[in-house]
């Protein structure tokens, strides 16, 4: 193990880690928005839109991200739509994550009992107010663990974007191995970088989950 | 003019005729108790009155105004009709105080100070002021139900609906909830109560409506209904609560 070399390449990893985080953050935020939209469409049984949403969820969950990225990056230009690699990666992640987030929200929404909704209506709240003050807070508490798991999943999935030449952690590692043949050092740094990103997040989620459990509603 | 008037109400659940041609009215300040066997449609009737169930035909009038039209803004009507449920249904993610304030602040857009003062006063009356910052899970069943009553009262409703509010409580807690309701009746609150507590019904009701198989089979003053029910069905229903004939060591043949 060449410690000196590791120190030398660490700045490359720092850059790559920043990029990975940036990509993942945008991906997660978009996934949350898409997921929320889809789950609400399903929850309120919006005609027509509901069908599209369900097709989307099936399509997204049953195709690999790599294929989705290839389709966006190499396929679309054939029909005249040229997107930058970064845009493709963001769209791909949001497309994939959105359906997972939708399922996470769905679980939470379905956990809110009809009696709670009726209690809200009976004190004169409108449907929108019931959604905002009663359904959302209760659903979110149930959804948080799976939303967290999905966030971690999306961060890990970013490692695939190296396939469309984006300089994330995986890309830098392959680069260094290719140029210097220092496989061990490069892979070690790769693992460490992902751990540094994911471990704190994972611990934070455990903490939040425990807090929610203690706050456990149980009416 | 009656406060609430129900005229020819019919309700079906997937072809099953739950409520058949129900007509009755409730005067301001009157306490009406609906009695009847399980499945006779008592709860459904209450739920129809504040629009939680759709009805297929008939009219419901509040202060002479028809409230079951397509254009009805139920959220406005429900501000005038308070409802308390069997399973309390407090909002578990809110404190007692937040539970009570939600309706007046968000639905009625009233002034926070004024509402808070009223809420404290009401909580004090049901003996729960010291619990105002507790969460529902920290309260007993009877306490939760009293909070649920306060939550409905804080909207200043003209009519209160009680749907078997003591049915899932321990006997000792039943009393504390019924006392609150008796107090309300004394103050002149208009109430429609579905209950299985016969002694309570006797004490609180001005009028009894007996519902059987989705039909009103008897309407009578409370005194009259319990001492001299007109229909055979009501007689049988009341006799179920009579255990005298089954006393140990008594020769049952004498009575038969």
């Amino acid at each position: 193990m060449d410690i000196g070399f590791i120190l030398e390449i660490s700045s490359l990893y720092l850059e790559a880690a920043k990029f990975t985080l940036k990509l993942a953050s945008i991906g997660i935020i978009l996934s949350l928005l898409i997921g929320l939209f889809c789950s609400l469409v399903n929850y309120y049984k919006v005609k027509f839109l509901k069908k599209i949403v369900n097709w989307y969820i099936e399509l997204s969950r049953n195709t690999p991200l790599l294929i989705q990225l290839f389709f966006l990056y190499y396929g679309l230009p054939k029909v005249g739509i040229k997107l930058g690699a970064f845009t493709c990666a963001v769209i791909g992640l949001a497309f994939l994550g959105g359906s997972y987030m939708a399922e996470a929200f769905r679980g939470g929404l379905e956990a809110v009992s009809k009696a709670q909704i009726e209690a809200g209506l009976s004190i004169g709240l409108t449907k929108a107010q019931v959604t905002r003050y009663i359904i959302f807070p209760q659903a979110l508490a149930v959804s948080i663990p799976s939303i967290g798991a999905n966030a971690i999943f999306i961060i890990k999935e970013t490692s695939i974007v190296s396939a469309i030449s984006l300089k994330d952690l995986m890309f830098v590692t392959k680069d260094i191995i290719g140029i210097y043949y220092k496989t061990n050092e490069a892979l070690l740094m790769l693992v460490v970088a992902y751990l540094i990103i994911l471990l704190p997040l994972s611990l934070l989620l455990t903490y939040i989950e425990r807090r929610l459990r203690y706050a456990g509603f149980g009416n | 003019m009656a406060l609430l008037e129900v005229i020819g109400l019919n309700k079906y659940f997937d072809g099953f005729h739950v409520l058949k041609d129900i007509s009755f009215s409730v005067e301001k300040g009157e306490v009406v108790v609906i009695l009847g066997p399980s499945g006779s449609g008592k709860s459904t009737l209450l739920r129809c009155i504040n629009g939680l169930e759709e009805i297929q035909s008939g009219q419901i009038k509040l202060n002479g105004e028809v409230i079951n039209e397509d254009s009805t803004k139920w959220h406005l009507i429900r501000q005038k009709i308070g409802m308390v449920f069997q399973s309390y249904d407090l909002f578990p993610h809110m404190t007692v105080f937040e539970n009570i304030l939600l309706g007046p602040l968000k639905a009625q857009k009233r002034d926070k100070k004024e509402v808070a003062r009223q809420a404290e006063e009401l909580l004090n009356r049901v003996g729960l002021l010291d619990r105002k910052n507790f969460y529902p899970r920290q309260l007993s069943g009877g306490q939760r139900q009293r909070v649920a009553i306060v939550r409905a009262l804080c909207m200043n409703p003209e009519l209160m609906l009680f749907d078997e509010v003591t049915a899932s409580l321990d006997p000792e807690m039943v009393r504390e909830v019924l006392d609150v309701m008796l107090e309300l009746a004394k103050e002149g609150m208009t109430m429609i109560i579905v209950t299985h507590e016969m002694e309570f019904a006797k004490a609180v009701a001005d009028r009894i409506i007996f519902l059987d198989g989705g039909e009103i089979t008897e309407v009578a003053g409370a005194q009259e209904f319990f001492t001299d029910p007109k229909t055979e069905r009501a007689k049988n229903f009341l006799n179920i609560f009579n255990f005298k004939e089954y006393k140990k060591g008594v020769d049952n043949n004498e009575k038969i």
Side-chain angles (χ1 to χ4, degrees):
Chain A
M1 193 71 62
D2 188 342
I3 303 292
F5 180 71
I6 288 180
L7 290 175
E8 227 169 276
I9 59 172
S10 56
S11 65
L12 287 173
Y13 275 91
L14 191 65
E15 276 310 304
K18 273 189 205 160
F19 175 80
T20 293
L21 265 181
K22 181 175 146 199
L23 180 63
S25 313
I26 300 175
I28 290 169
I29 290 169
L30 289 178
S31 299
L32 283 171
L33 293 177
I34 295 174
L36 190 61
F37 173 77
C38 291
S39 61
L40 284 180
V41 164
N42 262 330
Y43 188 69
Y44 288 110
K45 302 190 174 66
V46 185
K47 272 178 216 150
F48 185 65
L49 267 183
K50 186 176 146 81
K51 268 205 173 129
I52 297 178
V53 159
N54 284 330
W55 272 102
Y56 154 66
I57 289 177
E58 290 308 316
L59 182 68
S60 142
R61 279 161 61 96
N62 294 307
T63 48
L65 178 60
L66 185 62
I67 311 298
Q68 293 170 7
L69 286 182
F70 278 179
F71 174 79
L72 289 168
Y73 192 63
Y74 297 115
L76 285 185
K78 296 267 191 301
V79 291
I81 305 171
K82 279 194 181 143
L83 299 169
F86 187 75
T87 316
C88 284
V90 166
I91 295 175
L93 279 178
F95 185 81
L96 177 80
S99 63
Y100 280 83
M101 290 299 187
E103 293 294 289
F105 282 121
R106 187 177 65 109
L109 288 171
E110 282 174 2
V112 180
S113 72
K114 203 174 155 231
Q116 282 289 310
I117 296 164
E118 288 181 349
L121 290 174
S122 80
I123 51 170
L125 297 178
T126 61
K127 272 189 184 159
Q129 286 173 323
V130 168
T131 307
R132 178 169 162 204
Y133 297 111
I134 293 157
I135 300 177
F136 266 5
Q138 293 186 32
L140 203 60
V142 176
S143 298
I144 286 263
S146 32
I147 289 173
N150 287 345
I152 290 178
F153 163 73
I154 290 170
I155 296 174
K156 289 191 288 191
E157 283 296 295
T158 56
S159 61
I160 274 179
V161 302
S162 59
I164 54 172
S165 71
L166 282 169
K167 295 187 177 60
D168 78 321
L169 286 166
M170 194 65 207
F171 186 93
V172 167
T173 307
K174 283 197 280 190
D175 232 20
I176 290 171
I177 294 174
I179 297 169
Y180 302 103
Y181 278 116
K182 302 258 187 193
T183 315
N184 291 344
E185 287 82 353
L187 287 179
L188 176 73
M189 283 299 280
L190 178 65
V191 172
V192 168
Y194 271 116
L195 276 181
I196 289 175
I197 294 175
L198 290 172
L199 260 186
L201 186 63
S202 185
L203 290 174
L204 176 72
L205 277 169
T206 315
Y207 172 74
I208 294 175
E209 271 174 47
R210 203 179 316 140
R211 282 294 302 272
L212 283 175
R213 198 160 49 233
Y214 287 143
F217 293 151
N219 191 359
Chain B
M1 184 178 56
L3 178 70
L4 179 84
E5 214 175 332
V6 175
I7 306 158
L9 183 154
N10 279 290
K11 161 84 190 162
Y12 296 84
F13 276 130
D14 297 326
F16 177 63
H17 206 168
V18 198
L19 291 173
K20 298 168 189 162
D21 208 23
I22 302 285
S23 297
F24 68 95
S25 61
V26 180
E27 300 295 325
K28 194 168 165 41
E30 198 179 19
V31 177
V32 172
V33 170
I34 303 178
L35 295 177
S38 291
S40 57
K42 308 182 296 289
S43 294
T44 310
L45 179 55
L46 280 195
R47 293 164 55 83
C48 287
I49 292 171
N50 80 342
L52 290 177
E53 300 285 352
E54 252 177 68
I55 64 174
Q56 275 65 50
S57 70
Q59 276 189 331
I60 304 171
K61 287 184 187 174
L62 188 70
N63 289 322
E65 204 182 317
V66 181
I67 58 169
N68 62 315
E69 283 167 333
D70 289 343
S71 59
T72 298
K73 292 205 167 64
W74 273 110
H75 67 276
L76 297 179
I77 302 295
R78 292 192 189 109
Q79 292 176 16
K80 300 181 203 163
I81 305 179
M83 181 150 183
V84 186
F85 303 88
Q86 176 180 344
S87 49
Y88 337 122
D89 300 322
L90 295 179
F91 308 125
H93 59 297
M94 298 180 185
T95 62
V96 165
F97 214 50
E98 287 166 341
N99 261 283
I100 298 168
L101 262 50
L102 184 66
L105 292 185
K106 303 300 174 190
Q108 297 180 317
K109 314 245 183 273
R110 280 156 61 192
D111 176 54
K112 185 163 183 191
K113 261 193 197 153
E114 176 236 321
V115 178
R117 203 178 318 120
Q118 187 187 0
E120 281 179 357
E121 202 182 291
L122 286 168
L123 275 176
N124 193 26
R125 265 179 44 191
V126 301
L128 289 174
L129 188 53
D130 56 334
R131 297 283 191 277
K132 77 173 199 183
N133 292 320
F134 281 46
Y135 281 91
R137 65 175 182 280
Q138 297 168 303
L139 303 179
S140 72
Q143 291 172 331
R144 288 181 206 182
Q145 197 56 292
R146 281 182 281 159
V147 171
I149 293 174
V150 169
R151 180 173 70 180
L153 282 178
C154 207
M155 305 283 294
N156 296 324
E158 296 176 35
L159 171 68
M160 285 283 285
L161 309 175
F162 292 88
D163 187 7
E164 294 192 38
V165 293
T166 57
S168 47
L169 293 176
D170 293 343
E172 281 177 339
M173 295 174 179
V174 168
R175 184 67 208 221
E176 61 191 44
V177 173
L178 295 185
D179 279 342
V180 171
M181 291 163 70
L182 281 169
E183 191 72 19
L184 277 176
K186 229 187 273 170
E187 284 165 21
M189 173 62 79
T190 317
M191 307 198 273
I192 303 179
I193 303 170
V194 169
T195 184
H196 285 300
E197 302 285 336
M198 290 302 143
E199 290 304 315
F200 170 67
K202 228 182 264 183
V204 78
D206 295 313
R207 217 147 38 100
I208 304 281
I209 290 178
F210 187 74
L211 211 57
D212 183 33
E215 281 175 286
I216 295 184
T217 53
E218 190 161 345
V219 181
Q223 200 60 37
E224 192 190 337
F225 180 82
F226 284 103
T227 52
D228 184 23
K230 293 285 173 295
T231 56
E232 204 53 36
R233 189 65 187 90
K235 263 179 214 163
N236 289 337
F237 180 77
L238 290 174
N239 269 336
I240 290 170
F241 298 95
N242 190 346
F243 294 100
K244 279 180 200 143
E245 294 169 30
Y246 301 99
K247 241 183 184 170
K248 266 186 187 170
V250 177
D251 188 356
N252 288 333
N253 291 332
E254 261 173 45
K255 304 215 165 163
I256 299 166

